[in-house]
């Protein structure tokens, strides 16, 4: 199996529609809409943090050379946010043990997607770990809220489950990646005082040093 193909399971082209499906199910299949608003709030928080970290680096060079950090891994954060919740919904008809196993599988799937980002060298270790931590915080917080409130998802028919899977399956087969990186670069160029976005190469470029005849201190007044 190609890691480049597997990493698509963390692409926003696939996961954003999945996040939308979660919203639809929570609206139509739960007794209270509070679960839907909780999901929207938490998911938007995760997306906002990821985008802000990337824009801060692209536009202003805010990163860490020590940890090779240029922003949270979006694939890792989205995967860890969505897959545990998606599988929790899809296995709503199952008994507690199989449902818990499905949720655990969602956590492991997100971890594998994070590993794929390292294998194809799309992100550094710090970016993947921080992205997974952010996503796990979102999905775990949401699921704990639902467990504490005993949120019940009304019976999903086989047809509804298949309908929920059709769009993600079609997107996987199509395999087209979302142009999120280019979009963020355009936003950074629009809002930051730069004509070229910062790159990882800029992060690791040695800082210029003064020549021997140069002096950073102002000359004393005569």
């Amino acid at each position: 199996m190609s890691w480049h193909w597997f990493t698509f399971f963390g692409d926003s082209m696939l996961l954003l529609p999945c996040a939308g499906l979660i919203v639809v199910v929570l609206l139509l299949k739960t007794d209270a809409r509070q679960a839907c608003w909780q999901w929207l709030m938490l998911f938007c928080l995760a997306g906002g943090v990821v985008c802000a970290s990337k824009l801060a680096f692209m536009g202003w060079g805010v990163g860490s050379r020590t940890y090779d950090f240029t922003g949270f891994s979006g694939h890792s954060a989205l995967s860890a946010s969505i897959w545990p919740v998606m599988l929790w919904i899809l296995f709503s008809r199952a008994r507690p043990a199989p449902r818990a196993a499905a949720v655990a599988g969602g956590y492991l799937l997100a971890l594998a997607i994070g590993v794929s980002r390292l294998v194809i060298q799309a992100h550094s270790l710090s970016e993947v770990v921080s992205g997974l931590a952010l996503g796990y915080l979102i999905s775990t917080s949401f699921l704990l809220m639902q467990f504490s409130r005993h949120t019940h998802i009304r019976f999903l028919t086989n047809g509804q489950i298949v309908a929920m899977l059709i769009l993600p399956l079609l997107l996987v087969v199509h395999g087209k990646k979302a142009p999120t990186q280019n979009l963020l670069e355009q936003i950074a160029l629009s809002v930051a005082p730069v004509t070229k976005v910062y790159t990882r190469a800029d992060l690791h470029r040695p800082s210029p040093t003064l020549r021997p005849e140069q002096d950073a201190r102002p000359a004393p007044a005569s």
Side-chain angles (χ1 to χ4, degrees):
M1 180 185 65
S2 169
W3 284 105
H4 287 273
W5 178 84
F6 186 77
T7 199
F8 180 74
F9 284 89
D11 194 273
S12 56
M13 180 66 78
L14 170 64
L15 292 185
L16 290 182
C18 289
L21 287 174
I22 292 174
V23 171
V24 172
V25 171
L26 293 176
L27 276 176
L28 300 180
K29 290 292 184 177
T30 56
D31 297 326
R33 294 188 175 182
Q34 186 173 3
C36 178
W37 300 125
Q38 288 171 340
W39 167 249
L40 282 173
M41 178 187 68
L42 289 170
F43 181 71
C44 289
L45 175 63
V49 170
V50 171
C51 290
S53 69
K54 290 179 177 292
L55 289 174
F57 176 73
M58 291 179 183
W60 290 270
V62 178
S64 172
R65 180 185 300 179
T66 302
Y67 296 103
D68 194 17
F69 183 81
T70 65
F72 292 89
S73 166
H75 281 64
S76 303
L78 287 180
S79 299
S81 299
I82 292 175
W83 284 122
V85 178
M86 188 73 170
L87 289 171
W88 173 72
I89 290 175
L90 288 174
F91 281 77
S92 60
R93 291 166 48 181
R95 293 182 180 275
R99 195 181 192 190
V103 172
Y107 283 102
L108 291 175
L109 175 59
L111 178 61
I113 292 169
V115 171
S116 75
R117 303 304 287 169
L118 294 174
V119 172
I120 67 175
Q121 299 181 346
H123 283 291
S124 67
L125 180 61
S126 65
E127 293 162 357
V128 168
V129 170
S130 60
L132 287 173
L134 174 62
Y136 286 150
L137 176 63
I138 296 301
S139 58
T140 303
S141 297
F142 175 78
L143 291 175
L144 288 176
M145 288 177 185
Q146 308 324 305
F147 293 149
S148 66
R149 294 180 59 85
H150 304 287
T151 300
H152 174 67
I153 298 177
R154 291 191 293 273
F155 188 81
L156 290 173
T157 66
N158 291 333
Q160 290 170 336
I161 293 176
V162 171
M164 286 187 65
L165 293 173
I166 285 177
L167 179 58
L169 288 174
L170 289 176
L171 291 172
V172 168
V173 171
H174 192 264
K176 185 177 181 180
K177 297 180 181 179
T180 49
Q181 186 72 12
N182 292 336
L183 178 60
L184 288 173
E185 289 179 358
Q186 293 302 316
I187 294 174
L189 290 174
S190 299
V191 300
V194 293
T195 57
K196 181 179 178 295
V197 296
Y198 285 90
T199 65
R200 195 179 300 276
D202 297 319
L203 182 69
H204 293 287
R205 184 172 291 116
S207 301
T209 55
L210 292 173
R211 295 178 180 177
E213 65 270 20
Q214 291 178 319
D215 191 351
R217 296 168 295 178
S222 57

